[in-house]
Amino acid sequence: MSVFTSISTRSLSPSSPPNPISELKKPLTLSSPSSKLFTLSNPSLNFTIAARTRPFLPINAVTEDIEVDTADENSDNVEDKPSTTRESEGIKNITSTSSDRLLNAAIVLGAGTLAITKLLTIDHDYWQGWTLYEVLRYAPEHNWIAYEEALKKNPVFAKMVISWIVYSLGDWIAQCYEGRPLFEFDRTRMFRSGLVGFTLHGSLSHYYYQICEALFPFKDWWVVPAKVAFDQTVWAAVWNSIYYMVLGLLRLESPADIFHELKATFWPMLTAGWKLWPFAHVITYGVIPLEQRLLWVDCVELIWVTILSTYSNEKSESRISEASVKAESSSSTNEFPMEEE
């Protein structure tokens, strides 16, 4: 009986055939998306699942590429706008620089041509038949005679013109020494220096040398050292102060800034002059006649004006840059105030 029971049990419990309904209930397994392949337990659902996975359709990929390309073009356009603006500003700066250079070159060449023409044509009324050698030989002598006649007619104006030329040339040399190209000088700065030389230095120097002769009318040996000492203490201090104050006013600076600059530069410039002027003034007061002293001093002053102009403009530019840095720092602190604890 037991044998029959075991046989019947094995015959009734064979492995049942696969049921499609139960197969549908089995979970689907997908491979990694990077492989872009799907492995399903039921192959009949491949098409249905592939139709539902839109991120991997070619049409969607194409639209995404188009959107990315459009965004890149927009970003390129946004980035190109500032660069285009910078290029246009650079072109404008180059154009303005070239126009300034041409104007400066025209001024220099025009002034030089006029001066050379005046000097060489001093004898144009009676040089018919002269050779070029005779013109070059007698032109310096006759120009000197014309200068002496101008001193007799109007000495103050003649000395004002000489100081105007010297102070303009001195500032131009100073700008070239500072690194500016030959025809890219600052016309406004050069005009200020020449204006100071024309209005103040020529006239004041004319009266100063007369006062100095009245203070020291002696003919003894100690008169020349006494005049040099007086020149390099009293007159040098007065003129350096006048020069810096007037230049500051012409630059439209405030009185406080002018006083600060004068205070900072007074002693260094006074002591710097002692390295040059005592040696030059030994000739000024010992050899040169009274009426010719300013011409000699102006020839030496080409070097001194270069020093004065360079030092004055360096101090002014450094003060302006410090003021701009302080203004930027104060504006940044106002925009981003410190948080209170």
Side-chain angles (χ1 to χ4, degrees):
M1 189 65 183
S2 60
V3 174
F4 177 76
T5 304
S6 61
I7 294 171
S8 61
T9 303
R10 274 181 280 183
S11 62
L12 292 175
S13 61
S15 59
S16 60
N19 192 353
I21 298 174
S22 62
E23 291 292 334
L24 291 174
K25 296 180 180 179
K26 293 181 178 179
L28 302 178
T29 60
L30 304 179
S31 64
S32 175
S34 61
S35 63
K36 298 184 180 180
L37 297 176
F38 300 92
T39 58
L40 306 177
S41 60
N42 192 347
S44 62
L45 297 178
N46 282 338
F47 180 78
T48 304
I49 294 175
R52 292 179 181 177
T53 56
R54 292 191 62 188
F56 301 98
L57 289 179
I59 296 175
N60 193 20
V62 172
T63 55
E64 288 180 353
D65 292 338
I66 293 173
E67 291 176 355
V68 171
D69 293 338
T70 307
D72 292 339
E73 290 177 358
N74 293 332
S75 62
D76 292 338
N77 292 332
V78 172
E79 293 177 355
D80 289 341
K81 288 180 180 179
S83 63
T84 305
T85 305
R86 288 193 296 268
E87 290 177 358
S88 62
E89 291 178 354
I91 293 172
K92 290 180 181 178
N93 292 332
I94 293 172
T95 305
S96 62
T97 303
S98 60
S99 61
D100 289 340
R101 189 185 298 113
L102 291 175
L103 181 59
N104 292 339
I107 292 173
V108 172
L109 294 177
T113 303
L114 179 62
I116 294 173
T117 303
K118 288 290 185 181
L119 292 175
L120 292 179
T121 59
I122 187 68
D123 298 322
H124 69 281
D125 292 333
Y126 48 93
W127 67 359
Q128 288 82 4
W130 284 18
T131 63
L132 181 60
Y133 171 76
E134 290 174 334
V135 173
L136 297 177
R137 177 185 175 184
Y138 292 107
E141 180 184 353
H142 293 167
N143 278 295
W144 180 259
I145 294 172
Y147 167 70
E148 288 183 337
E149 291 178 355
L151 286 178
K152 293 177 181 178
K153 292 180 181 179
N154 196 344
V156 178
F157 182 75
K159 294 174 182 178
M160 289 170 65
V161 173
I162 294 172
S163 294
W164 168 59
I165 295 172
V166 168
Y167 271 69
S168 299
L169 287 176
D171 187 79
W172 185 26
I173 295 171
Q175 294 189 43
C176 294
Y177 177 77
E178 293 169 8
R180 288 177 178 267
L182 190 62
F183 294 125
E184 292 185 8
F185 56 88
D186 188 353
R187 294 187 301 273
T188 306
R189 172 180 162 180
M190 185 176 174
F191 173 77
R192 286 195 298 260
S193 182
L195 185 62
V196 172
F198 179 77
T199 57
L200 295 175
H201 184 263
S203 57
L204 293 179
S205 297
H206 170 77
Y207 294 110
Y208 159 71
Y209 288 120
Q210 291 183 348
I211 293 171
C212 187
E213 287 297 316
L215 291 175
F216 303 95
F218 311 103
K219 302 296 182 181
D220 298 330
W221 65 269
W222 54 268
V223 173
V224 173
K227 290 179 180 178
V228 173
F230 181 78
D231 186 287
Q232 288 303 294
T233 52
V234 179
W235 172 242
V238 171
W239 173 244
N240 288 345
S241 302
I242 291 174
Y243 181 82
Y244 279 102
M245 289 174 62
V246 175
L247 276 186
L249 292 174
L250 292 176
R251 286 195 293 257
L252 302 179
E253 296 178 353
S254 64
D257 291 338
I258 295 173
F259 178 76
H260 178 72
E261 179 181 349
L262 180 61
K263 184 179 178 181
T265 58
F266 178 81
W267 182 251
M269 293 308 300
L270 186 64
T271 55
W274 295 346
K275 300 175 183 178
L276 172 66
W277 285 113
F279 306 99
H281 283 323
V282 170
I283 300 175
T284 302
Y285 298 106
V287 179
I288 307 297
L290 177 62
E291 289 299 322
Q292 311 297 338
R293 285 177 184 173
L294 184 61
L295 181 62
W296 160 252
V297 169
D298 280 339
C299 291
V300 181
E301 199 139 17
L302 274 173
I303 303 172
W304 182 242
V305 172
T306 302
I307 299 172
L308 280 178
S309 180
T310 303
Y311 201 75
S312 174
N313 284 277
E314 283 180 356
K315 289 294 182 181
S316 178
E317 290 174 0
S318 64
R319 187 177 63 254
I320 292 172
S321 62
E322 289 176 0
S324 62
V325 169
K326 290 180 181 179
E328 289 177 359
S329 62
S330 62
S331 62
S332 62
T333 53
N334 291 331
E335 290 177 359
F336 304 100
M338 296 293 291
E339 295 182 358
E340 296 181 357
E341 295 181 358

